Amino acid sequence: MHFTGRTWRPPYEAHSVILQATSGCAYRRCSFCNLYADEPFRLSPMDEFEEDLAEIKRYQPYARRVFLTGGNPFAMSCENLMLRALTIRDYLIKCQSIAMFASIRDIRNKTVSQLRRLRAMGINGLTIGTESGDDETLRLANKGYTAEDILAQCLKLDEAGIEYYLVYMTGLAGHGGGLRNAANSAALFSRLNPYILSVDSLTLFPGTRLFDMEKNGTFIPAAEHERLQELQTLIARLHIRTHLLANTRSNFRPITADLPREREKAVAELQYILDTTDEAAMAEYRAGLKSLG
């Protein structure tokens, strides 16, 4: 298999076949991220792509879901994505869906008609690292788009029938900004239809702009209790049906909930952690994180 650089997939894609379509990230300017800092964005050549599919076919000929790796394979043109989808289905005849990471910027350059064509070819399941739905936080994170952009592009996915999963990051707004971030993000997300809302918590790593800002005093990280209160606010103010998964390593304690049915249970569970866990213990946990992989 032609895996190069960092290979990531969301926890909920654990049972998907992993296939490299791109490597690196087409943007690489988010202020909190250094995952692909030294890895230029590159499309996998079709000969490598087909060699990998031939190998997958030998071991998992009846695979039903494929997850394309790379920071944002959806940056590929509609034509290239359709070619990849057709090629996958040539090799894996039982494949029903093709998922991948995507950015709001990647959706912006595709029409609803093109999105419908991609959906018809099996592309369904975009993990979108929105991180926030609050304009001030999005500017701090240097995401390159606004809350209005998130709304417009995700509504296009809704219209095209493409399932998507949003990522939210507690702590990203910094000390004192979490409740505003949660309230504005919940208001935005409640106008959309994410099947999954995946929650991470900001961890500062060397080589990122926020790490440098923290060192020079221009960014004050949110305390751990503050992050849990932010997550409580997000959950309390979400008014959609979605699966909330705050269970990555960046979260001090894994929390999952089917909203709105398990809203009160999740809020109470977070309150128990707030009431029984010392701030220092949670800070020690975060300090021990060397990576999120």
Side-chain angles (χ1 to χ4, degrees), residues 24-40:
C25 171
Y27 186 63
R28 292 194 298 170
R29 293 196 288 276
C30 295
S31 62
F32 57 88
C33 179
N34 64 355
L35 290 179
Y36 304 103
D38 301 317
E39 189 176 354

Side-chain angles (χ1 to χ4, degrees), residues 182-197:
N184 289 339
S185 297
L188 174 66
F189 297 161
S190 293
R191 299 173 68 183
L192 301 172
N193 294 286
Y195 183 72
I196 290 173
L197 182 58

Side-chain angles (χ1 to χ4, degrees), residues 9 20 32 34 45 55 63 73 79 122 150 168 179 226 230 246 277 293:
R9 56 121 180 105
Q20 180 168 292
F32 57 88
N34 64 355
E55 185 170 347
E79 292 72 21
I150 295 172
Y168 180 86
L179 298 187
E226 191 176 352
E230 177 182 351
T277 308

Side-chain angles (χ1 to χ4, degrees), residues 2-19:
H2 293 90
F3 291 119
T4 59
R6 294 178 181 269
T7 301
W8 298 86
R9 56 121 180 105
Y12 44 81
E13 297 288 355
H15 299 293
S16 302
V17 166
I18 306 301
L19 174 64

Side-chain angles (χ1 to χ4, degrees), residues 47-88:
D47 58 343
E48 291 184 3
F49 192 73
E50 291 203 51
E51 286 175 17
D52 289 349
L53 277 168
E55 185 170 347
I56 291 169
K57 183 177 180 180
R58 286 198 296 273
Y59 294 98
Q60 293 180 278
Y62 303 117
R64 293 182 175 272
R65 185 172 176 91
V66 171
F67 184 81
L68 300 181
T69 67
N72 56 324
F74 206 65
M76 288 189 284
S77 67
C78 180
E79 292 72 21
N80 203 327
L81 284 165
M82 288 194 295
L83 173 62
R84 306 274 171 161
L86 281 171
T87 306
I88 288 170

Side-chain angles (χ1 to χ4, degrees), residues 213-239:
M213 289 173 64
E214 191 271 338
K215 292 303 179 186
N216 65 32
T218 56
F219 177 75
I220 302 174
E224 298 298 322
H225 277 69
E226 191 176 352
R227 297 167 190 238
L228 295 182
Q229 291 166 345
E230 177 182 351
L231 182 54
Q232 276 187 319
T233 300
L234 180 73
I235 293 171
R237 296 200 178 199
L238 279 170
H239 298 291

